[in-house]
Amino acid sequence: SYYEYGAIENGMQHYTTVSEISCIGYSADGFDKRGSVIVDGYVLDQYSMDEYEGMLRVFTTTEESSKQPNNWGLMPRYTSADLYVIDLATMQVRASVKQFAPNGDTMKSARFEGNTAYACTAIQQTDPVFFFDLSDLDNITVKETGTIAGFSTSLVNFGDGFLLGIGQGDEWHKLKLEIYTEGAYGVESYC
């Protein structure tokens, strides 16, 4: 990931974080670059990416910052999260859900299971957990918990429609173990 320069407004230079994702093939002849795509944001970790049926699904934290031209310090203007679905045959973005998290949130954890994906974003000690139905890439549906105490740094499929969130509680010294389930209108905290 790197910063891409944006416009200068009111004496401030604006920046956006972007990432280049490259597809590398390997054969007896060695490595070959099959293509690349640039998406907004940066990828948290390997759990934020998943390959399924020829598509690469990627969660990113998007970040817009600004600074005075001769100053070193960047000031965040906006952070959120994006989901991209990239066709590996063409290395083109096939579908996306941009800025699905509240302003200020960053990606904390992700989990992919077939045609579904879960993401936890957080700002300080509160989070929403999001559920994405990816079965129809022309109509991706999103459900969420709304703001709840603490945040999950790991999401684990607990079976039978339940998702286990493990992470920080409402205070830094507290452990959080929370079980979620998909309800009719959102993701619900089960216990």
Side-chain angles (χ1 to χ4, degrees):
S1 63
Y2 57 92
Y3 286 106
E4 189 172 77
Y5 290 92
I8 296 177
E9 297 173 355
N10 299 325
M12 300 292 281
Q13 174 72 58
H14 298 292
Y15 299 86
T16 303
T17 306
V18 297
S19 292
E20 180 178 2
I21 299 172
S22 298
C23 181
I24 307 294
Y26 177 75
S27 67
D29 298 328
F31 293 103
D32 64 291
K33 186 173 179 181
R34 297 189 177 161
S36 64
V37 63
I38 295 176
V39 296
D40 290 340
Y42 62 88
V43 180
L44 175 65
D45 55 24
Q46 72 270 23
Y47 303 109
S48 298
M49 301 187 305
D50 178 70
E51 182 182 349
Y52 183 73
E53 296 183 348
M55 299 290 170
L56 178 67
R57 292 100 54 95
V58 180
F59 283 110
T60 64
T61 294
T62 54
E63 183 177 82
E64 295 177 10
S65 302
S66 59
K67 73 175 192 75
Q68 293 176 337
N70 295 322
N71 189 342
W72 286 98
L74 287 175
M75 297 179 296
R77 291 180 354 149
Y78 187 88
T79 61
S80 186
D82 292 350
L83 168 64
Y84 292 96
V85 180
I86 301 162
D87 185 330
L88 290 172
T90 63
M91 289 305 291
Q92 299 292 317
V93 174
R94 168 67 176 81
S96 64
V97 180
K98 294 193 172 198
Q99 298 181 349
F100 63 82
N103 182 17
D105 275 19
T106 60
M107 285 294 301
K108 295 297 182 186
S109 58
R111 170 72 59 188
F112 294 92
E113 298 283 338
N115 281 320
T116 60
Y118 300 90
C120 177
T121 65
I123 182 171
Q124 296 298 327
Q125 295 302 110
T126 62
D127 76 346
V129 174
F130 297 89
F131 167 82
F132 297 82
D133 181 346
L134 304 173
S135 58
D136 179 0
L137 295 180
D138 293 321
N139 186 30
I140 296 174
T141 57
V142 182
K143 295 179 182 179
E144 67 168 289
T145 58
T147 301
I148 54 178
F151 62 88
S152 300
T153 56
S154 179
L155 296 171
V156 180
N157 183 348
F158 211 51
D160 295 328
F162 294 99
L163 182 72
L164 172 64
I166 304 169
Q168 297 284 328
D170 58 355
E171 297 177 18
W172 287 107
H173 66 280
K174 290 185 180 179
L175 172 68
K176 173 183 175 170
L177 299 170
E178 191 158 5
I179 297 177
Y180 305 98
T181 187
E182 182 191 356
Y185 302 104
V187 179
E188 300 168 357
S189 175
Y190 185 75
C191 65

